[in-house]
Amino acid sequence: MSSNFPLNKDQLDNLIKKFPTPFYLYDEEAIRQNMRKFTKAFSIFPKFREHYAVKACPNPYILKILADEGCGADCSSLPELMLSEMAGIKEDHVIFTSNETPAEEYKYAYERKNIINLDDITHIEFLKKHLGKLPETICFRYNPGNEKTGCNSIIGKPEEAKYGLTRPQIIEAYKICKAEGVKHFGLHTMVASNELNPDFFIDTAKLVFELASEIKEKTGVRIEFVDLGGGLGIPYKPDQVAVDYDQIAQGIRKEYDRVIVPAGLDPLAIYWECGRPITGPYGWLITTAIHEKHIYREYIAVDSCMADLMRPGMYGSYHEVTVSGKENAPKTQVYDVVGSLCENCDKFAVQRQLPKIDLGDHVIIHDAGAHGRAMGFNYNGKLRCGEVLMRPDGSFMQIRRRETIDDLFATLDLANVKNFN
Protein backbone atom coordinates (compact mmCIF):
# COMPACT_ATOMS: atom_id res chain seq x y z
CA MET A 1 0.00 0.00 0.00
CA SER A 2 1.04 3.66 -0.42
CA SER A 3 3.40 5.28 2.06
CA ASN A 4 1.61 7.40 4.62
CA PHE A 5 1.52 11.09 3.82
CA PRO A 6 3.85 12.77 6.35
CA LEU A 7 1.82 15.91 7.11
CA ASN A 8 -1.44 16.40 8.97
CA LYS A 9 -4.03 18.91 7.80
CA ASP A 10 -2.70 21.87 9.80
CA GLN A 11 0.87 21.22 8.66
CA LEU A 12 -0.18 20.98 5.02
CA ASP A 13 -2.37 24.09 5.25
CA ASN A 14 0.59 26.05 6.60
CA LEU A 15 2.88 24.71 3.88
CA ILE A 16 0.41 25.71 1.16
CA LYS A 17 0.42 29.29 2.46
CA LYS A 18 4.10 29.40 1.45
CA PHE A 19 3.93 27.17 -1.62
CA PRO A 20 0.52 27.43 -3.32
CA THR A 21 -0.82 24.33 -5.03
CA PRO A 22 -0.13 22.47 -7.17
CA PHE A 23 3.32 21.22 -6.24
CA TYR A 24 5.23 18.02 -5.64
CA LEU A 25 6.39 17.21 -2.13
CA TYR A 26 9.27 14.78 -1.42
CA ASP A 27 10.28 13.29 1.92
CA GLU A 28 14.08 13.33 2.16
CA GLU A 29 14.37 11.19 5.29
CA ALA A 30 12.07 8.50 3.89
CA ILE A 31 14.10 8.38 0.66
CA ARG A 32 17.33 8.03 2.64
CA GLN A 33 15.96 5.27 4.86
CA ASN A 34 14.61 3.39 1.87
CA MET A 35 17.93 3.66 0.03
CA ARG A 36 19.77 2.30 3.08
CA LYS A 37 17.37 -0.63 3.25
CA PHE A 38 17.92 -1.34 -0.46
CA THR A 39 21.72 -1.18 -0.10
CA LYS A 40 21.73 -3.40 2.98
CA ALA A 41 19.74 -6.11 1.18
CA PHE A 42 22.25 -6.31 -1.67
CA SER A 43 25.35 -6.01 0.52
CA ILE A 44 25.53 -9.82 0.41
CA PHE A 45 27.40 -9.44 -2.90
CA PRO A 46 31.14 -8.71 -3.17
CA LYS A 47 30.37 -5.35 -4.79
CA PHE A 48 27.03 -3.62 -5.20
CA ARG A 49 25.85 -0.23 -6.38
CA GLU A 50 22.49 1.26 -7.26
CA HIS A 51 22.64 3.59 -10.26
CA TYR A 52 19.48 5.65 -9.80
CA ALA A 53 17.50 6.09 -13.03
CA VAL A 54 17.70 9.86 -13.42
CA LYS A 55 14.68 9.88 -15.75
CA ALA A 56 12.49 8.98 -12.76
CA CYS A 57 13.11 12.25 -10.92
CA PRO A 58 15.65 14.48 -12.68
CA ASN A 59 16.29 17.00 -9.93
CA PRO A 60 19.88 17.57 -8.72
CA TYR A 61 18.72 17.95 -5.09
CA ILE A 62 17.21 14.46 -5.16
CA LEU A 63 20.32 13.15 -6.92
CA LYS A 64 22.58 14.70 -4.27
CA ILE A 65 20.61 12.97 -1.53
CA LEU A 66 21.03 9.64 -3.30
CA ALA A 67 24.71 10.27 -4.04
CA ASP A 68 25.20 10.87 -0.33
CA GLU A 69 23.75 7.40 0.23
CA GLY A 70 26.26 5.83 -2.17
CA CYS A 71 24.19 5.84 -5.35
CA GLY A 72 25.47 6.24 -8.86
CA ALA A 73 23.30 7.36 -11.77
CA ASP A 74 21.87 5.78 -14.88
CA CYS A 75 21.43 8.36 -17.65
CA SER A 76 19.78 8.32 -21.04
CA SER A 77 20.51 11.82 -22.37
CA LEU A 78 22.98 14.70 -22.23
CA PRO A 79 20.95 16.76 -19.72
CA GLU A 80 20.73 13.73 -17.42
CA LEU A 81 24.51 13.34 -17.61
CA MET A 82 24.87 17.01 -16.72
CA LEU A 83 22.42 16.77 -13.80
CA SER A 84 24.36 13.82 -12.40
CA GLU A 85 27.58 15.78 -12.67
CA MET A 86 25.97 18.72 -10.82
CA ALA A 87 25.05 16.32 -8.03
CA GLY A 88 28.63 15.08 -7.73
CA ILE A 89 28.04 11.73 -9.41
CA LYS A 90 31.01 11.25 -11.69
CA GLU A 91 33.17 8.88 -13.74
CA ASP A 92 32.26 5.19 -13.42
CA HIS A 93 29.44 5.99 -11.00
CA VAL A 94 27.53 7.12 -14.09
CA ILE A 95 26.26 4.60 -16.62
CA PHE A 96 25.13 6.09 -19.92
CA THR A 97 22.40 3.71 -21.06
CA SER A 98 21.17 5.51 -24.13
CA ASN A 99 19.84 4.34 -27.47
CA GLU A 100 20.03 5.86 -30.95
CA THR A 101 22.36 8.38 -29.32
CA PRO A 102 23.85 11.45 -31.06
CA ALA A 103 27.65 11.47 -31.27
CA GLU A 104 28.08 14.58 -29.09
CA GLU A 105 26.34 12.85 -26.19
CA TYR A 106 28.67 9.86 -26.41
CA LYS A 107 31.60 12.28 -26.51
CA TYR A 108 30.41 14.02 -23.36
CA ALA A 109 30.14 10.70 -21.49
CA TYR A 110 33.49 9.48 -22.83
CA GLU A 111 35.34 12.66 -21.83
CA ARG A 112 34.00 12.30 -18.29
CA LYS A 113 34.96 8.63 -18.04
CA ASN A 114 31.36 7.52 -17.65
CA ILE A 115 30.52 3.90 -18.46
CA ILE A 116 29.00 3.70 -21.92
CA ASN A 117 26.35 1.01 -22.28
CA LEU A 118 25.86 0.27 -25.98
CA ASP A 119 22.46 -0.66 -27.33
CA ASP A 120 23.43 -2.14 -30.70
CA ILE A 121 26.38 -3.87 -32.36
CA THR A 122 26.58 -1.10 -35.00
CA HIS A 123 27.31 1.40 -32.23
CA ILE A 124 30.82 -0.04 -31.90
CA GLU A 125 31.82 1.43 -35.26
CA PHE A 126 29.83 4.59 -34.48
CA LEU A 127 31.93 5.12 -31.35
CA LYS A 128 35.19 4.44 -33.18
CA LYS A 129 34.24 6.92 -35.88
CA HIS A 130 33.32 9.75 -33.53
CA LEU A 131 35.67 9.11 -30.60
CA GLY A 132 38.64 7.89 -32.60
CA LYS A 133 38.82 4.77 -30.43
CA LEU A 134 36.77 2.70 -28.07
CA PRO A 135 36.64 3.42 -24.34
CA GLU A 136 38.59 1.17 -21.97
CA THR A 137 35.29 0.01 -20.46
CA ILE A 138 32.31 -1.10 -22.53
CA CYS A 139 28.94 -2.52 -21.54
CA PHE A 140 26.31 -4.01 -23.83
CA ARG A 141 22.57 -4.20 -23.35
CA TYR A 142 21.15 -7.65 -23.94
CA ASN A 143 17.69 -8.26 -25.38
CA PRO A 144 16.73 -11.87 -24.53
CA GLY A 145 13.82 -12.00 -26.98
CA ASN A 146 11.55 -14.95 -26.28
CA GLU A 147 14.04 -16.40 -23.78
CA LYS A 148 12.43 -14.09 -21.22
CA THR A 149 8.71 -14.61 -20.68
CA GLY A 150 6.17 -13.27 -18.22
CA CYS A 151 6.93 -9.61 -18.91
CA ASN A 152 4.08 -7.23 -18.10
CA SER A 153 2.37 -4.99 -20.61
CA ILE A 154 4.20 -1.81 -19.58
CA ILE A 155 7.51 -2.72 -21.19
CA GLY A 156 6.08 -5.37 -23.51
CA LYS A 157 7.63 -8.49 -24.97
CA PRO A 158 11.43 -8.23 -25.34
CA GLU A 159 11.29 -9.44 -28.96
CA GLU A 160 9.06 -6.45 -29.79
CA ALA A 161 11.28 -3.90 -28.01
CA LYS A 162 13.73 -1.63 -29.81
CA TYR A 163 16.39 -2.12 -27.15
CA GLY A 164 19.49 -4.27 -26.96
CA LEU A 165 21.48 -6.92 -28.83
CA THR A 166 20.45 -10.47 -29.60
CA ARG A 167 22.43 -13.36 -28.10
CA PRO A 168 24.49 -14.06 -31.26
CA GLN A 169 25.14 -10.33 -31.70
CA ILE A 170 26.30 -9.84 -28.14
CA ILE A 171 28.82 -12.69 -28.38
CA GLU A 172 30.20 -11.14 -31.58
CA ALA A 173 30.25 -7.67 -30.01
CA TYR A 174 32.49 -8.78 -27.13
CA LYS A 175 34.85 -10.51 -29.59
CA ILE A 176 35.15 -7.29 -31.61
CA CYS A 177 35.76 -5.11 -28.56
CA LYS A 178 38.32 -7.49 -27.11
CA ALA A 179 40.23 -7.42 -30.43
CA GLU A 180 40.04 -3.61 -30.37
CA GLY A 181 41.78 -3.51 -26.99
CA VAL A 182 38.85 -2.81 -24.66
CA LYS A 183 40.01 -3.83 -21.16
CA HIS A 184 36.90 -3.90 -18.97
CA PHE A 185 33.45 -5.28 -19.74
CA GLY A 186 29.95 -5.15 -18.34
CA LEU A 187 26.65 -6.77 -19.25
CA HIS A 188 23.22 -5.18 -18.91
CA THR A 189 19.59 -6.03 -19.45
CA MET A 190 16.28 -4.32 -18.72
CA VAL A 191 13.14 -6.36 -19.27
CA ALA A 192 10.70 -5.16 -16.62
CA SER A 193 8.70 -2.14 -15.53
CA ASN A 194 6.72 -1.86 -12.30
CA GLU A 195 6.98 -5.61 -11.66
CA LEU A 196 6.02 -6.84 -8.18
CA ASN A 197 6.89 -10.53 -8.53
CA PRO A 198 10.32 -11.16 -6.90
CA ASP A 199 10.82 -14.37 -8.90
CA PHE A 200 10.85 -12.33 -12.12
CA PHE A 201 14.06 -10.59 -11.08
CA ILE A 202 15.71 -13.75 -9.79
CA ASP A 203 14.99 -15.38 -13.15
CA THR A 204 16.43 -12.35 -14.97
CA ALA A 205 19.64 -12.60 -12.92
CA LYS A 206 19.87 -16.31 -13.75
CA LEU A 207 19.58 -15.47 -17.46
CA VAL A 208 22.26 -12.77 -17.28
CA PHE A 209 24.64 -14.86 -15.15
CA GLU A 210 24.41 -17.77 -17.58
CA LEU A 211 25.08 -15.43 -20.49
CA ALA A 212 28.13 -13.99 -18.69
CA SER A 213 29.45 -17.52 -18.29
CA GLU A 214 28.82 -18.27 -21.97
CA ILE A 215 30.57 -15.06 -23.01
CA LYS A 216 33.67 -16.09 -21.07
CA GLU A 217 33.66 -19.56 -22.65
CA LYS A 218 33.20 -18.32 -26.22
CA THR A 219 35.22 -15.09 -26.21
CA GLY A 220 37.59 -15.19 -23.25
CA VAL A 221 36.04 -11.93 -22.01
CA ARG A 222 35.58 -11.69 -18.27
CA ILE A 223 32.47 -9.73 -17.38
CA GLU A 224 33.34 -7.54 -14.37
CA PHE A 225 29.87 -6.22 -13.61
CA VAL A 226 26.29 -7.01 -14.50
CA ASP A 227 23.60 -4.35 -14.48
CA LEU A 228 20.26 -6.03 -13.82
CA GLY A 229 18.35 -2.95 -14.96
CA GLY A 230 15.40 -1.74 -12.97
CA GLY A 231 11.72 -2.46 -13.12
CA LEU A 232 11.07 -3.18 -9.45
CA GLY A 233 7.52 -2.05 -8.89
CA ILE A 234 5.79 -0.30 -6.04
CA PRO A 235 2.34 -1.08 -4.62
CA TYR A 236 0.24 1.68 -6.15
CA LYS A 237 -3.01 -0.06 -5.19
CA PRO A 238 -4.08 -0.58 -1.57
CA ASP A 239 -4.24 -4.38 -1.93
CA GLN A 240 -0.73 -4.70 -3.38
CA VAL A 241 2.35 -5.66 -1.37
CA ALA A 242 5.79 -4.06 -1.71
CA VAL A 243 8.57 -6.20 -3.14
CA ASP A 244 10.87 -7.72 -0.54
CA TYR A 245 14.42 -6.50 -1.27
CA ASP A 246 15.92 -9.25 0.90
CA GLN A 247 13.98 -11.98 -0.90
CA ILE A 248 15.20 -10.76 -4.29
CA ALA A 249 18.79 -10.35 -3.10
CA GLN A 250 18.93 -13.79 -1.52
CA GLY A 251 17.38 -15.44 -4.56
CA ILE A 252 19.90 -13.75 -6.85
CA ARG A 253 22.73 -14.74 -4.50
CA LYS A 254 21.75 -18.41 -4.93
CA GLU A 255 22.04 -18.05 -8.69
CA TYR A 256 25.34 -16.20 -8.23
CA ASP A 257 26.76 -19.11 -6.23
CA ARG A 258 25.36 -21.64 -8.69
CA VAL A 259 26.56 -19.97 -11.91
CA ILE A 260 29.08 -17.18 -11.31
CA VAL A 261 31.35 -18.83 -8.75
CA PRO A 262 31.93 -22.08 -10.72
CA ALA A 263 32.46 -20.04 -13.90
CA GLY A 264 35.41 -18.24 -12.31
CA LEU A 265 33.67 -14.87 -12.51
CA ASP A 266 33.65 -14.21 -8.77
CA PRO A 267 33.93 -11.42 -7.62
CA LEU A 268 31.32 -9.93 -9.92
CA ALA A 269 29.81 -6.51 -9.21
CA ILE A 270 26.02 -6.29 -9.16
CA TYR A 271 24.39 -3.05 -10.26
CA TRP A 272 20.78 -1.92 -10.43
CA GLU A 273 19.28 1.11 -12.15
CA CYS A 274 16.06 1.38 -10.19
CA GLY A 275 14.13 4.64 -10.05
CA ARG A 276 10.53 3.96 -9.07
CA PRO A 277 11.14 1.90 -5.88
CA ILE A 278 13.73 4.38 -4.61
CA THR A 279 11.74 7.62 -4.72
CA GLY A 280 8.28 6.68 -6.02
CA PRO A 281 6.49 6.13 -2.68
CA TYR A 282 8.02 9.24 -1.13
CA GLY A 283 6.68 11.89 -3.47
CA TRP A 284 3.15 13.32 -3.61
CA LEU A 285 1.35 15.71 -5.95
CA ILE A 286 -0.50 18.25 -3.80
CA THR A 287 -3.47 19.94 -5.44
CA THR A 288 -6.69 21.74 -4.50
CA ALA A 289 -10.32 21.08 -5.42
CA ILE A 290 -11.57 24.12 -7.34
CA HIS A 291 -14.70 22.94 -9.20
CA GLU A 292 -17.41 20.32 -8.98
CA LYS A 293 -19.65 19.05 -11.74
CA HIS A 294 -22.82 16.98 -11.64
CA ILE A 295 -23.81 15.42 -14.97
CA TYR A 296 -23.79 11.74 -15.87
CA ARG A 297 -21.05 11.32 -13.30
CA GLU A 298 -19.89 13.26 -10.29
CA TYR A 299 -16.68 15.21 -10.97
CA ILE A 300 -14.19 16.97 -8.77
CA ALA A 301 -11.80 19.26 -10.66
CA VAL A 302 -8.45 20.20 -9.17
CA ASP A 303 -5.90 22.91 -9.94
CA SER A 304 -3.42 20.38 -11.32
CA CYS A 305 -3.82 18.36 -14.49
CA MET A 306 -2.31 15.62 -16.63
CA ALA A 307 0.48 18.01 -17.63
CA ASP A 308 1.80 17.58 -14.07
CA LEU A 309 1.16 13.83 -13.72
CA MET A 310 0.83 11.97 -16.99
CA ARG A 311 0.64 8.36 -15.80
CA PRO A 312 -3.11 7.99 -15.11
CA GLY A 313 -4.12 9.60 -18.42
CA MET A 314 -1.32 8.05 -20.47
CA TYR A 315 -1.36 4.51 -19.13
CA GLY A 316 -4.55 4.25 -17.10
CA SER A 317 -2.31 3.90 -14.05
CA TYR A 318 -3.71 3.85 -10.55
CA HIS A 319 -2.61 6.38 -7.94
CA GLU A 320 -4.12 6.43 -4.48
CA VAL A 321 -6.00 9.68 -3.78
CA THR A 322 -6.66 11.04 -0.29
CA VAL A 323 -8.14 14.26 1.04
CA SER A 324 -6.22 16.15 3.70
CA GLY A 325 -8.09 16.01 7.00
CA LYS A 326 -10.52 13.40 5.70
CA GLU A 327 -8.22 10.39 5.69
CA ASN A 328 -10.51 8.49 8.06
CA ALA A 329 -13.82 9.85 6.79
CA PRO A 330 -16.28 7.38 5.24
CA LYS A 331 -15.97 7.00 1.47
CA THR A 332 -19.54 7.86 0.62
CA GLN A 333 -19.01 9.43 -2.82
CA VAL A 334 -17.90 8.18 -6.22
CA TYR A 335 -15.94 10.73 -8.26
CA ASP A 336 -13.88 11.18 -11.34
CA VAL A 337 -11.04 13.46 -10.17
CA VAL A 338 -10.03 15.55 -13.16
CA GLY A 339 -7.85 18.42 -14.31
CA SER A 340 -8.29 21.28 -16.78
CA LEU A 341 -6.46 19.86 -19.81
CA CYS A 342 -8.61 19.84 -22.94
CA GLU A 343 -8.42 16.05 -23.20
CA ASN A 344 -10.92 13.56 -21.76
CA CYS A 345 -8.09 11.33 -20.49
CA ASP A 346 -7.09 14.09 -18.04
CA LYS A 347 -8.28 12.11 -15.03
CA PHE A 348 -6.33 11.31 -11.87
CA ALA A 349 -8.98 8.87 -10.67
CA VAL A 350 -11.97 7.31 -12.39
CA GLN A 351 -15.10 6.26 -10.50
CA ARG A 352 -13.14 6.31 -7.26
CA GLN A 353 -14.84 5.93 -3.89
CA LEU A 354 -13.75 8.89 -1.78
CA PRO A 355 -14.98 11.01 1.12
CA LYS A 356 -17.18 13.96 0.20
CA ILE A 357 -14.85 16.58 -1.28
CA ASP A 358 -15.62 20.24 -0.71
CA LEU A 359 -14.21 23.06 -2.79
CA GLY A 360 -10.96 24.21 -1.22
CA ASP A 361 -10.07 20.75 0.08
CA HIS A 362 -6.48 19.73 -0.53
CA VAL A 363 -6.23 16.54 -2.55
CA ILE A 364 -3.13 14.35 -2.26
CA ILE A 365 -2.09 12.08 -5.13
CA HIS A 366 0.23 9.40 -3.80
CA ASP A 367 3.25 7.50 -5.12
CA ALA A 368 4.22 10.31 -7.48
CA GLY A 369 7.92 10.51 -6.56
CA ALA A 370 9.06 8.81 -9.76
CA HIS A 371 7.89 9.39 -13.34
CA GLY A 372 5.72 12.23 -12.07
CA ARG A 373 7.08 15.75 -12.52
CA ALA A 374 9.68 14.21 -14.84
CA MET A 375 7.03 13.38 -17.44
CA GLY A 376 5.35 16.78 -17.34
CA PHE A 377 4.56 18.68 -20.52
CA ASN A 378 3.25 22.01 -21.84
CA TYR A 379 0.37 20.97 -24.09
CA ASN A 380 -2.52 23.48 -23.89
CA GLY A 381 0.08 25.96 -22.70
CA LYS A 382 0.04 24.37 -19.25
CA LEU A 383 2.72 25.52 -16.83
CA ARG A 384 4.34 22.70 -14.90
CA CYS A 385 4.29 22.85 -11.14
CA GLY A 386 7.24 23.14 -8.78
CA GLU A 387 8.85 20.77 -6.31
CA VAL A 388 9.31 21.05 -2.55
CA LEU A 389 11.59 18.97 -0.35
CA MET A 390 10.81 18.13 3.27
CA ARG A 391 14.13 17.98 5.10
CA PRO A 392 14.89 15.56 7.96
CA ASP A 393 14.59 18.43 10.48
CA GLY A 394 11.02 19.13 9.35
CA SER A 395 11.87 22.26 7.35
CA PHE A 396 10.89 22.75 3.72
CA MET A 397 12.77 24.06 0.72
CA GLN A 398 11.76 24.71 -2.85
CA ILE A 399 13.95 22.62 -5.16
CA ARG A 400 12.21 23.63 -8.37
CA ARG A 401 10.02 26.69 -8.84
CA ARG A 402 6.83 26.47 -10.84
CA GLU A 403 7.01 27.50 -14.49
CA THR A 404 5.94 30.94 -15.64
CA ILE A 405 4.51 32.21 -18.91
CA ASP A 406 7.92 33.76 -19.59
CA ASP A 407 9.44 30.26 -19.34
CA LEU A 408 6.87 28.92 -21.78
CA PHE A 409 7.49 31.70 -24.31
CA ALA A 410 11.29 31.79 -23.89
CA THR A 411 12.02 29.80 -27.04
CA LEU A 412 9.73 31.88 -29.26
CA ASP A 413 11.24 34.71 -31.32
CA LEU A 414 8.65 37.20 -30.11
CA ALA A 415 10.59 40.24 -31.35
CA ASN A 416 9.56 39.50 -34.95
CA VAL A 417 5.94 38.48 -34.41
CA LYS A 418 4.47 41.95 -35.01
CA ASN A 419 6.31 42.36 -38.30
CA PHE A 420 5.54 38.86 -39.57
CA ASN A 421 3.11 38.58 -42.48
Side-chain angles (χ1 to χ4, degrees):
M1 58 183 297
S2 300
S3 297
N4 291 330
F5 186 64
L7 304 180
N8 62 33
K9 186 178 187 304
D10 288 342
Q11 290 171 325
L12 182 59
D13 288 349
N14 287 330
L15 181 62
I16 289 170
K17 290 176 184 176
K18 184 175 182 181
F19 302 108
T21 61
F23 61 87
Y24 276 87
L25 177 67
Y26 305 102
D27 185 340
E28 177 181 343
E29 183 61 24
I31 291 171
R32 287 185 181 276
Q33 292 300 327
N34 182 48
M35 191 60 243
R36 290 168 190 171
K37 180 181 176 182
F38 191 85
T39 300
K40 182 179 178 182
F42 289 93
S43 65
I44 59 176
F45 293 97
K47 182 180 179 182
F48 166 74
R49 186 162 59 238
E50 152 70 353
H51 290 255
Y52 181 74
V54 176
K55 65 183 179 182
C57 193
N59 188 301
Y61 290 89
I62 300 297
L63 296 180
K64 287 194 80 167
I65 291 167
L66 294 171
D68 191 45
E69 297 298 332
C71 279
D74 181 85
C75 301
S76 59
S77 69
L78 177 58
E80 290 183 3
L81 290 170
M82 297 172 73
L83 285 168
S84 300
E85 196 171 12
M86 289 177 203
I89 306 174
K90 299 180 179 180
E91 299 189 352
D92 65 353
H93 278 52
V94 176
I95 297 178
F96 188 37
T97 305
S98 186
N99 65 92
E100 316 311 335
T101 302
E104 58 268 22
E105 299 193 11
Y106 277 134
K107 288 178 183 177
Y108 190 94
Y110 173 73
E111 289 167 358
R112 284 152 183 79
K113 300 179 181 178
N114 303 148
I115 295 173
I116 294 177
N117 183 20
L118 294 181
D119 192 58
D120 191 73
I121 193 167
T122 62
H123 295 174
I124 300 172
E125 283 301 316
F126 188 84
L127 276 191
K128 285 177 62 181
K129 176 182 177 181
H130 293 283
L131 301 183
K133 61 180 179 178
L134 294 178
E136 289 191 355
T137 300
I138 284 284
C139 185
F140 287 102
R141 178 171 182 164
Y142 174 50
N143 183 328
N146 58 17
E147 288 185 73
K148 183 64 178 172
T149 58
C151 303
N152 61 35
S153 60
I154 298 174
I155 203 164
K157 297 178 181 178
E159 62 267 33
E160 296 175 358
K162 69 174 183 174
Y163 307 106
L165 289 73
T166 66
R167 201 177 193 94
Q169 286 176 335
I170 212 162
I171 297 294
E172 181 62 21
Y174 285 109
K175 288 180 180 178
I176 293 169
C177 289
K178 181 184 178 184
E180 291 283 346
V182 175
K183 297 178 180 178
H184 306 287
F185 296 91
L187 174 62
H188 167 271
T189 197
M190 173 77 178
V191 290
S193 181
N194 198 33
E195 177 60 58
L196 292 171
N197 180 4
D199 293 337
F200 185 94
F201 300 100
I202 297 167
D203 179 68
T204 299
K206 172 180 177 291
L207 187 73
V208 174
F209 291 163
E210 290 175 349
L211 177 56
S213 177
E214 181 182 346
I215 289 166
K216 183 184 177 187
E217 290 176 9
K218 292 184 176 179
T219 70
V221 166
R222 185 187 186 283
I223 300 296
E224 297 179 17
F225 67 88
V226 295
D227 183 335
L228 298 174
L232 274 70
I234 61 175
Y236 286 101
K237 296 182 178 180
D239 60 344
Q240 293 177 324
V241 178
V243 292
D244 186 326
Y245 299 153
D246 290 311
Q247 182 181 348
I248 294 174
Q250 290 162 13
I252 292 174
R253 180 70 212 206
K254 288 180 181 178
E255 292 300 326
Y256 183 100
D257 292 338
R258 184 184 69 84
V259 179
I260 295 302
V261 174
L265 292 171
D266 180 45
L268 176 72
I270 305 295
Y271 297 155
W272 283 100
E273 58 174 79
C274 293
R276 191 190 316 265
I278 305 303
T279 58
Y282 312 109
W284 299 265
L285 176 57
I286 314 300
T287 185
T288 301
I290 58 172
H291 291 290
E292 58 184 354
K293 187 169 184 174
H294 315 283
I295 49 172
Y296 306 104
R297 291 182 176 184
E298 295 294 304
Y299 293 91
I300 289 293
V302 295
D303 62 359
S304 186
C305 71
M306 184 181 170
D308 290 316
L309 180 61
M310 181 193 291
R311 297 186 72 255
M314 181 79 167
Y315 303 117
S317 302
Y318 182 98
H319 283 261
E320 185 75 350
V321 174
T322 58
V323 184
S324 181
K326 298 181 178 180
E327 292 84 356
N328 299 316
K331 298 179 179 180
T332 58
Q333 309 296 313
V334 176
Y335 295 115
D336 280 14
V337 180
V338 303
S340 59
L341 200 73
C342 195
E343 296 290 338
N344 196 46
C345 60
D346 180 23
K347 298 183 177 184
F348 294 117
V350 176
Q351 293 296 276
R352 188 76 60 85
Q353 281 196 294
L354 292 166
K356 183 180 184 303
I357 300 176
D358 298 303
L359 299 188
D361 279 350
H362 300 312
V363 177
I364 302 159
I365 302 173
H366 292 244
D367 300 307
H371 309 289
R373 177 60 172 74
M375 296 178 75
F377 56 89
N378 292 122
Y379 177 59
N380 271 184
K382 293 299 181 181
L383 304 175
R384 290 171 290 186
C385 68
E387 296 173 299
V388 176
L389 181 67
M390 184 172 78
R391 306 303 310 276
D393 64 2
S395 64
F396 299 90
M397 68 179 296
Q398 180 174 263
I399 58 173
R400 188 195 302 269
R401 64 167 175 79
R402 64 172 58 204
E403 289 181 333
T404 66
I405 290 176
D406 285 343
D407 294 327
L408 185 67
F409 292 171
T411 54
L412 293 170
D413 186 358
L414 297 177
N416 293 316
V417 170
K418 290 182 179 179
N419 300 322
F420 180 76
N421 54 42

